[in-house]
Amino acid sequence: MPLVNKILKDYRQMFHLVKSGETFVAFDTETTGLDCHECRIIEIGAVKFDCNGCIATFIKINHITDEMVKNQPLIKDILPSFCDFIKDSIIIGHNVHFDMRFLQAELERAGFEENKNNVIDTLGFARWALPELEKFNQPFLADYFNI
C-alpha cells in the first residue's frame, strides 16, 4: 500500500516549522505482526506538542499482553477519536513508514478516508543529523541522548 502522505525531508526546515507554531504528533503503534494487510494495530500511543511543549496525549503504551487487550475497544472504534486528535498536525515517528502503513490499512478496513498529514521520519532525521553513529534504533538513540 503506497503512502499518500508527504514525507518531509528538508530537515533544516523543521526548525522553522517548530518556531512558526506548527503542531506535531509523535506517534507509535503496537501491532500483532509486521504485515499491515494481515496483522492489526492493538494500541496507538501519541503525544501532541508544539514549540511550547506537550499539548495532549492519546493512550499509553507499554508491556501489552493478550489479557490486557481482551476486553478493550477495537481499532476501528478508536480511529475517529485518533483522527480528531491528530487533525492536520505533522506526524512524527521513528521508522514512521511502518506505523503509517498500518494506520492507512486500518483506516481503509474501517471505511474511513486515508490520512494525508505531512510526516517526518526521525530515523531518517537521525541518520542525517548524526552520520557518525553506528546505530539509529530508538534504544541506542535514547542511550546516546541520555534519555
Side-chain angles (χ1 to χ4, degrees), residues 28-85:
D28 187 39
T29 60
E30 299 299 327
T31 64
T32 58
L34 301 176
D35 181 353
C36 67
H37 300 293
E38 300 293 324
C39 301
R40 305 305 296 263
I41 293 176
I42 55 173
E43 191 164 26
I44 296 177
V47 177
K48 185 184 291 186
F49 64 96
D50 63 13
C51 62
N52 297 312
C54 182
I55 298 170
T57 59
F58 187 91
I59 304 180
K60 184 179 178 184
I61 328 173
N62 270 352
H63 309 293
I64 301 167
T65 65
D66 288 344
E67 188 64 30
M68 292 167 74
V69 297
K70 184 167 70 172
N71 296 315
Q72 297 303 311
L74 300 174
I75 186 67
K76 69 181 177 104
D77 298 328
I78 67 162
L79 281 173
S81 60
F82 181 68
C83 291
D84 186 53
F85 179 82

Side-chain angles (χ1 to χ4, degrees), residues 86-118:
I86 62 174
K87 292 187 178 160
D88 59 353
S89 300
I90 297 171
I91 296 175
I92 298 176
H94 202 72
N95 194 22
V96 74
H97 299 86
F98 175 85
D99 300 288
M100 292 305 297
R101 279 194 296 275
F102 267 90
L103 178 60
Q104 297 295 23
E106 294 290 6
L107 289 167
E108 185 178 310
R109 278 192 279 269
F112 295 108
E113 288 184 28
E114 57 193 3
N115 175 277
K116 295 182 181 171
N117 293 47
N118 290 334

